[in-house]
């Protein structure tokens, strides 16, 4: 039977196609929500690594193992890791740096402290 009879309207022909399109749409929507969150987590770890490396380089410079100024060394290392130093505090041989990078328009920051053993670094 074809045409506009009531029995053809009650048929579930094509329901699988609609369900498939709905599932694909749901997966795409979920991916669009979750992907930026994972990008933020990855950026946080990356900035934390940049802050750690920058603090270590600055502490090595403060101790005298490397020539130059501690905060300049921290800035150089942070730039090499895709971040920038927003704060650098030298307290004797202990250096605390704050590194930052913008990800998806949001500033991601991390703080790291480094210095020689026994110099008051927690």
């Amino acid at each position: 039977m074809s045409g506009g009879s009531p029995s053809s309207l009650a048929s579930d022909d094509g329901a699988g196609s609609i369900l498939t399109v709905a599932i694909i749409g749901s997966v795409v929507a979920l991916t669009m929500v979750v992907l930026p969150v994972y990008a933020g987590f990855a950026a946080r770890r990356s900035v934390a690594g940049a802050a750690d490396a920058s603090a270590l380089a600055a502490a090595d410079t403060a101790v005298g193992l490397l020539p130059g100024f501690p905060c300049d060394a921290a800035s150089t290392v942070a730039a090499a890791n895709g971040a920038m130093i927003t704060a650098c505090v030298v307290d004797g041989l202990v250096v605390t740096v704050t590194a930052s990078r913008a990800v998806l328009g949001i500033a991601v920051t991390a703080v790291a402290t480094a210095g020689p053993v026994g110099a008051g670094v927690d």
Side-chain angles (χ1 to χ4, degrees):
M1 257 185 170
S2 63
S5 69
S7 63
S8 69
L9 294 177
S11 169
D12 59 356
D13 290 343
S17 299
I18 301 270
L19 182 61
T20 302
V21 169
I23 290 172
I24 290 172
S26 299
V27 169
V28 169
L30 183 63
T31 302
M32 290 175 59
V33 169
V34 171
L35 197 58
V37 173
Y38 284 126
F41 288 145
R44 171 72 173 115
R45 297 307 309 156
S46 175
V47 172
D52 289 342
S54 297
L56 289 170
D60 285 348
T61 304
V63 171
L65 296 175
L66 298 173
F69 299 101
C71 292
D72 291 342
S75 294
T76 302
V77 171
N81 285 289
M84 64 181 239
I85 298 299
T86 57
C88 179
V89 177
V90 180
D91 183 17
L93 301 177
V94 177
V95 181
T96 302
V97 297
T98 303
S100 179
R101 177 172 58 192
V103 176
L104 301 173
I106 299 171
V108 178
T109 61
V111 178
T113 302
V117 176
V121 178
D122 293 330

